[in-house]
Amino acid sequence: MQCSRCSHLMSISDEHVAEMDLGQSVTVKQLNCSSCDKCVALSFSDAWNTPEDILTDDTERNGWFEVSSPRDRVVCYALSQIMYRQFEVPEEEREEAIFDQPDPTDIVMIFWLKGQAIGFYTIKPKGSLVERTMEHYAMHTLDTAYVRSVKRRQGYGMRMLQNITSSYPGNDIGFSKPISFSMWKVLRKYLQHNADYRNKFWEIEGTGGEGNQKLIWYAIKFQDKKKKTLHNE
Ligand SMILES: [Zn+2]
């Protein structure tokens, strides 16, 4: 198989294959390039496929679908750990963090566009437990979110927020810190058009308990005020 990053030819040998546990008894094998160390192919149920092929589905699905099948878990892995982490490399200065694998209690949603997986988000449901601290999430919380770079600035971020608010109508929604620059832009736009949610979106630290939540609309207004003051000085 040929590496799509550096064109190096790879044979499938154990020395470059790692087995990844995706939870709920799903595993995937990953072949990494011996030259650039990026993923060349993934194997799930025996056949080897490029990460791009894994993201293509012959069902022509359109819209948001909750991850339920083992194959969907592999799609999510390809998006979060290969596309985002290796190929489109998060920018730390834009507050883009590396994602952990979702916990079994997380709700994982993938956006499909004519059978192509182009993004995903994960929700920590209200009440879910963090075993390390024994704390429970105070509200439904958006923990990780990603849209493939070729599909950015086309309204998918807005569709993500619309999907979240329609899944939990009228509920408070948390957004885990750090919130990326691009997510702040989407939040600003969403709240400008949806006044009902201005007192329901929270930037949260940890599980968002008391003292660890800040109203997002307030933070946006505060930034605007600061900009104005700087401008007038
Ligand atoms: Zn390579």
Side-chain angles (χ1 to χ4, degrees), residues 91-97 153 179-182 185:
E91 293 177 51
E92 216 178 308
E93 60 278 19
R94 295 179 56 80
E95 300 282 14
E96 294 173 356
R153 288 182 216 69
I179 298 178
S180 69
F181 286 17
S182 39
K185 271 192 201 153

Side-chain angles (χ1 to χ4, degrees), residues 3 5-6 8 33 36:
C3 172
R5 305 290 118 182
C6 74
H8 184 72
C33 177
C36 72

Side-chain angles (χ1 to χ4, degrees), residues 22 42 54-55 67 69-84 99-102 107-110 112 117 119-122 144 146:
L22 309 190
L42 294 168
I54 297 273
L55 300 181
V67 165
S69 71
R71 191 180 187 283
D72 281 352
R73 287 194 171 273
V74 177
V75 170
C76 181
Y77 178 83
L79 282 171
S80 76
Q81 304 301 319
I82 311 296
M83 291 300 159
Y84 177 63
F99 299 150
D100 291 335
Q101 297 256 44
I107 293 165
V108 185
M109 303 291 293
I110 293 178
W112 294 90
F120 75 96
Y121 70 81
T122 65
T144 62
Y146 162 74

Side-chain angles (χ1 to χ4, degrees), residues 4-24:
S4 65
R5 305 290 118 182
C6 74
S7 305
H8 184 72
L9 276 173
M10 289 287 297
S11 60
I12 294 155
S13 65
D14 286 349
E15 136 191 41
H16 298 292
V17 173
E19 196 164 293
M20 306 291 169
D21 181 2
L22 309 190
Q24 303 190 338

